[in-house]
Amino acid sequence: MASCCSESERVEQVISELSRGRDIADRIRVILRQTGSDGSVQILARQLLDTFNHSLTMLTHAAADSGEVSQAAKSEDSCKPRLPKDRRGCYKRKRSSDTTIKMSSDLCEDGHAWRKYGQKAILNAKYPRSYYRCTHKFDQGCQASKQVQQIQDDPPLYRTTYNGQHTCEKSPLDHHHILPTPPDSSVIWSFNRPVDSVKQEVQIKSPPEDDYMSPFLDLSGDVYSCTASTHSIEDVVGSIEDFFEFQPLS
DNA sequence: TTGATTTGACCCTT
DNA sequence: AAGGGTCAAATCAA
């Protein structure tokens, strides 16, 4: 009879809720690791995360098998030429929250296994942008992805934009430049400034209450800081790029 | 043979 | 409508 929503909508709601639970579990896990909490608690957090991942995997596969998810648009104009698969609704553009940007003078390893899935020429950009997803996207349901783009030639400067957090297993070390996103969804950036061939780690954090504050860079001390809206990441990155461009390398 | 990369096409967001 | 993110077939490499 007339229920509030269709079966497919309910399935998608459950998937959405599970995804949210997984993100929260992952944040708990990161916090526990950062604070050096009891190992058994960390294991429990890990198991909680795995439970969400497995549930999501089973649910999405079952939904796909039964054709329940994302089939709403299938009823009409299904005779489009040269479409091997109906890909409508197959992806959503990433939002700017839960994003980490790293600027570095080289393409250093970040400790994760990535698989390149695309490359695009970007308007007004000299170099193409490469797209990577976590190698464990399918076997562990890890949603982390990154974009890498060279933004400067001499000296070479690369901007790496990380989206999402790793929920896959990796070595416990090597979090030296990917900082955990706090629960308030503020944004943290870190990048290396190539000065005297010595890389300086810079961390930039935007407090959540400064939603409408224009971005600025405080480069006066050893610790650089920057505040900005989570909606103006590009502005901040522009400021960083300006800094690299106009500051003579001493 | 298998997994990774390349590349053109599709389609969502702005 | 344009730009950008993702998919997937083709190709490459180990």
Side-chain angles (χ1 to χ4, degrees), chain A residues 155-242:
Chain A
L157 182 64
Y158 299 90
R159 180 173 71 204
T160 305
T161 305
Y162 295 90
N163 288 305
Q165 297 199 22
H166 284 275
T167 54
C168 58
E169 287 289 355
K170 70 180 282 293
S171 63
L173 303 175
D174 238 359
H175 271 268
H176 55 284
H177 54 239
I178 305 173
L179 302 177
T181 304
D184 59 22
S185 291
S186 61
V187 180
I188 298 177
W189 297 286
S190 69
F191 61 92
N192 298 318
R193 181 190 170 194
V195 177
D196 286 336
S197 73
V198 177
K199 292 179 195 166
Q200 287 183 266
E201 187 91 349
V202 181
Q203 298 173 2
I204 304 172
K205 177 177 180 179
S206 64
E209 64 272 20
D210 289 336
D211 258 7
Y212 298 100
M213 182 179 290
S214 57
F216 72 88
L217 276 170
D218 176 8
L219 302 162
S220 56
D222 290 336
V223 177
Y224 305 152
S225 63
C226 175
T227 61
S229 159
T230 55
H231 305 294
S232 58
I233 290 175
E234 293 302 322
D235 294 338
V236 180
V237 171
S239 301
I240 295 168
E241 291 172 3
D242 288 345

